[in-house]
Amino acid sequence: MDNQTKAPHLAGVIGFFSDPHQLLHATEKVRDSSYKHFDAFTPYPVHGMDAAQGLKRSPLPFVTFAAGLTGCTLGFLLQYWTSVVDWPIIVGGKPMNSWPAFVPVMFECTILFAGLATVGAMFLLNGLPNHKRKSFDPRITRDQFALLIEAPVALEADRAEQFNESKAAEFLKSIGAKEVKSVYSEGWF
Amino acid sequence: MGHATTIKNPGTFEVSGTIKNILIACVAVGVVTFAFSLNADPTRAWASFVMNHFYFMSLAIGGLFFATLQWITGAMWSAPIRRVGESLTAYLPVVFVTFAILYFGVPKLYLWSHMEHVKGDLVLEGKSGYLSLGFFVIRNVVAIALWIFFALKMVGNSIAQDASRDYRLTEKNRFWSPVFLIVFSLTFTMASFDQLMSLDPHWFSTIFGVYTFAGMFYSTLATICLLTLLLKSHGKLDGLVNENHLHDLGKYMFAFTVFWAYIGFSQFMLIWYANLPEETGYFIRRMEDGWMGVSTFLLVGKFLVPFFILMPREAKRNEKVLRNVGIFMLIAQWVDMLWMVQPEFFKDGPRIGLTEIGVTLGFLGVFGLMVFRFLAKYNVVAIGDPRLEESVSHHHQ
């Protein structure tokens, strides 16, 4: 890849916190600061992190809803077409369009479509799977909570100028990080 | 302790004198209409009595069922609203009285109580061992007694915890909860078989108990939601119940809207598909004449309307929406009870008139008085619950 031929550039400054409450409050402070690009890393989901990061609600539920309705409709049309239009057979003396008999399949199609679309849209929205990214510190999958203030991408040279490494490090320390270090892109970013 | 300093006990809740008077007036209206219609049209009077008896009995035992689920799962979210569920059990002793009154309606309601009908009818003769007046009374009285026993024991533990703050009382309730759930599932199924399904003694549906259970929990959740909103509007739950708790209650209501539809459809579809003469009568009666409209209302009103209204996240966090949907769900459940009882007596369509509304108001009055008496006597929040503190600062996505 392009990245590997270039010299590693500054990806950002990361601060470590030892408990989730500290991290939550620190994240709120970063959210309210002038730093626009940041991310939190935790070994397990921390309640309230979405609000602390100022994340907007995900559009995922609308995908689920639309896909569910589509599945329900297609489930009905499939059965209507097979048992009324394409190959009508009288079963149990019931009308061709016996909708109560169609309901279980419509229900299952609703679930199937909604479920698959949700998983698919989730991967699209969060950009996973991404084999290029590497964990930059194994501790964040064990017992450490981290907050990364991202440096603007090197390509935006003018903005990169403005990013002050030591200032960001100072800021992280001031909001309670017990350890701060700069991280360089190694293809994970 | 931490609790005492951080969480203020909201104490008891005294309902206003006007509401109390209205409830007393409702009881009077109920007694007068019931007495009057017993003379005018006894079948109609007893039909509306048995449906309301079952409706409010379901709410009372549903309150204990709700609380039991919280104990058995060790739920945190529900700690500040569990007492609202417990308060519904205050009506349970009245169920004894209404069942005693129902005894006098047995000849009007249940065909199996007439020997001249049973004799010569092979099906009824075969069932006569079970469907006999003595056994009917004994097993239902035992069921109600068991429910009161568990309510006294578990709600008693919960109230005792208000003062002692002893976490071991929670553990005791967690021990009793599974025992109650097993007893409850058997006795509630039996009560619905006996009091509702045997209105047509020839008909049977093994899922019937689950169907009445679905309606029971559907309406119980709506009642708990409405009572919570009432207490909240009087400032009794300030700092205790926030929109996250309401969100969870809304999800619960949403889930059981779907559950009711699932069970209701399962009962219908298997009977419709198999098309066996001994089973189809129940649904044929409910799909003819005026009853088809009621059946359609149940599909649309009891399922689709709350389903789509409660679907968005914002609806479940909005007090106004929850209040309106809650009231609507209680009405829908009432129509469902009507739909289970009346077609056995009135083939041409539903009867909704002074008799039905008057008797319902009577039951509503007694139910309200009993529940508000409980809330005026005991703290409206289980203030000694070890999970309360965590639940009060309940945040989630």
Side-chain angles (χ1 to χ4, degrees):
Chain A
M1 286 293 297
D2 247 16
N3 256 345
Q4 273 141 354
T5 57
K6 280 191 211 155
H9 67 267
L10 181 70
V13 181
I14 191 161
F16 291 91
F17 299 80
S18 46
D19 86 274
H21 296 286
Q22 268 187 358
L23 178 76
L24 213 57
H25 294 304
T27 310
E28 281 164 1
K29 283 175 188 144
V30 178
R31 175 193 67 196
D32 300 333
S33 75
S34 57
Y35 293 109
K36 288 285 162 277
H37 302 277
F38 62 94
D39 210 347
F41 300 88
T42 59
Y44 53 83
V46 173
H47 277 314
M49 190 46 95
D50 292 31
Q53 281 185 271
L55 295 179
K56 286 198 193 77
R57 272 200 81 200
S58 155
L60 204 54
F62 295 97
V63 177
T64 312
F65 182 67
L69 282 185
T70 312
C72 190
T73 315
L74 288 180
F76 174 77
L77 290 177
L78 167 76
Q79 294 171 92
Y80 184 85
W81 182 72
T82 50
S83 47
V84 180
V85 181
D86 189 49
W87 203 272
I89 294 176
I90 294 172
V91 179
K94 291 183 166 59
M96 298 297 179
N97 181 20
S98 286
W99 67 267
F102 299 168
V103 170
V105 175
M106 286 159 69
F107 175 77
E108 299 300 345
C109 283
T110 309
I111 306 295
L112 179 71
F113 276 63
L116 289 180
T118 306
V119 174
M122 187 262 299
F123 279 130
L124 273 180
L125 288 169
N126 63 16
L128 284 178
N130 185 339
H131 61 90
K132 279 180 276 183
R133 288 200 174 195
K134 282 183 212 147
S135 165
F136 51 84
D137 196 315
R139 288 178 298 167
I140 57 165
T141 62
R142 292 181 198 144
D143 59 342
Q144 293 291 308
F145 302 83
L147 193 51
L148 172 79
I149 295 182
E150 295 171 18
V153 208
L155 292 173
E156 304 174 47
D158 52 330
R159 288 184 57 209
E161 295 287 312
Q162 288 164 21
F163 185 76
N164 189 324
E165 202 176 328
S166 57
K167 231 175 162 178
E170 275 312 304
F171 179 63
L172 278 173
K173 269 186 188 146
S174 76
I175 56 175
K178 60 178 172 58
E179 184 193 329
V180 175
K181 67 174 186 183
S182 296
V183 277
Y184 293 90
S185 107
E186 289 173 84
W188 59 270
F189 216 3
Chain B
M1 293 287 291
H3 292 288
T5 49
T6 50
I7 298 170
K8 206 175 132 277
N9 184 355
T12 58
F13 172 68
E14 196 76 51
V15 79
S16 76
T18 330
I19 293 188
K20 222 176 220 168
N21 288 337
I22 291 173
L23 289 172
I24 293 169
C26 280
V27 179
V29 168
V31 172
V32 171
T33 16
F34 183 61
F36 181 77
S37 59
L38 260 188
N39 289 313
D41 189 346
T43 309
R44 214 173 138 178
W46 284 115
S48 67
F49 187 88
V50 70
M51 82 173 247
N52 280 298
H53 157 74
F54 202 90
Y55 184 102
F56 287 95
M57 177 180 90
S58 298
L59 291 183
I61 194 64
L64 187 60
F65 178 76
F66 174 82
T68 307
L69 286 187
Q70 314 314 319
W71 285 314
I72 200 171
T73 55
M76 178 269 283
W77 72 275
S78 58
I81 54 168
R82 201 193 60 233
R83 182 60 52 81
V84 178
E86 293 169 18
S87 76
L88 303 184
T89 59
Y91 178 79
L92 273 179
V94 182
V95 177
F96 253 135
V97 180
T98 55
F99 185 74
I101 298 171
L102 185 68
Y103 174 82
F104 297 98
V106 167
K108 269 279 164 243
L109 289 171
Y110 303 106
L111 197 67
W112 49 259
S113 65
H114 297 275
M115 280 323 284
E116 67 270 24
H117 282 293
V118 175
K119 281 238 164 65
D121 185 325
L122 276 179
V123 174
L124 294 192
E125 271 181 5
K127 289 182 181 178
S128 63
Y130 184 80
L131 289 178
S132 63
L133 188 59
F135 192 23
F136 173 86
V137 170
I138 290 169
R139 60 182 184 259
N140 280 285
V141 165
V142 167
I144 301 166
L146 279 170
W147 298 347
I148 293 177
F149 165 78
F150 280 104
L152 286 176
K153 191 150 202 87
M154 294 196 284
V155 178
N157 279 340
S158 171
I159 287 165
Q161 198 179 41
D162 283 10
S164 72
R165 292 173 191 256
D166 185 354
Y167 72 94
R168 278 171 302 188
L169 290 167
T170 302
E171 287 180 351
K172 271 187 189 160
N173 277 350
R174 196 160 59 213
F175 170 80
W176 283 108
S177 293
V179 184
F180 168 74
L181 285 181
I182 293 167
V183 171
F184 164 79
S185 58
L186 295 173
T187 50
F188 190 78
T189 305
M190 184 208 76
S192 49
F193 279 20
D194 286 1
Q195 295 171 31
L196 296 177
M197 199 166 90
S198 82
L199 288 169
D200 175 0
H202 289 99
W203 184 68
F204 56 90
S205 163
T206 46
I207 206 175
F208 193 79
V210 189
Y211 183 80
T212 51
F213 160 78
M216 174 216 83
F217 207 40
Y218 178 100
S219 52
T220 302
L221 290 169
T223 309
I224 290 174
C225 181
L226 288 176
L227 273 175
T228 305
L229 292 175
L230 177 77
L231 292 172
K232 204 167 185 299
S233 71
H234 281 81
K236 280 287 171 190
L237 300 175
D238 288 350
L240 285 159
V241 169
N242 58 38
E243 69 278 7
N244 293 312
H245 299 95
L246 295 181
H247 190 177
D248 286 340
L249 256 182
K251 281 187 255 183
Y252 228 149
M253 288 156 77
F254 177 76
F256 275 83
T257 302
V258 182
F259 184 74
W260 172 81
Y262 191 95
I263 298 301
F265 185 75
S266 299
Q267 176 171 263
F268 166 74
M269 196 195 69
L270 292 185
I271 291 173
W272 169 86
Y273 212 119
N275 211 9
L276 301 174
E278 57 195 18
E279 291 177 347
T280 47
Y282 183 82
F283 281 107
I284 289 172
R285 278 192 290 283
R286 283 159 181 79
M287 289 165 80
E288 281 178 346
D289 297 329
W291 287 109
M292 190 58 197
V294 183
S295 301
T296 312
F297 169 81
L298 286 179
L299 173 65
V300 176
K302 201 178 177 189
F303 169 52
L304 291 176
V305 170
F307 178 77
F308 283 108
I309 292 180
L310 284 176
M311 193 181 271
R313 172 187 148 102
E314 289 318 312
K316 295 188 277 274
R317 299 170 77 85
N318 184 318
E319 293 187 21
K320 217 171 171 181
V321 174
L322 280 180
R323 190 181 63 217
N324 291 335
V325 173
I327 293 171
F328 183 77
M329 284 169 71
L330 286 181
I331 295 171
Q333 169 66 9
W334 188 85
V335 175
D336 192 12
M337 290 301 309
L338 188 93
W339 180 87
M340 280 191 263
V341 172
Q342 275 198 358
E344 305 307 335
F345 306 102
F346 314 114
K347 309 266 182 262
D348 53 336
R351 303 279 194 284
I352 302 177
L354 267 180
T355 310
E356 285 71 26
I357 293 169
V359 173
T360 305
L361 285 179
F363 273 91
L364 180 70
V366 180
F367 183 78
L369 287 173
M370 294 307 283
V371 171
F372 287 132
R373 204 179 73 129
F374 181 100
L375 291 173
K377 207 163 150 192
Y378 306 110
N379 293 324
V380 296
V381 168
I383 202 72
D385 191 295
R387 290 195 175 82
L388 187 63
E389 199 174 346
E390 195 187 352
S391 180
V392 163
S393 52
H394 178 36
H395 293 295
H396 63 101
Q397 265 67 61

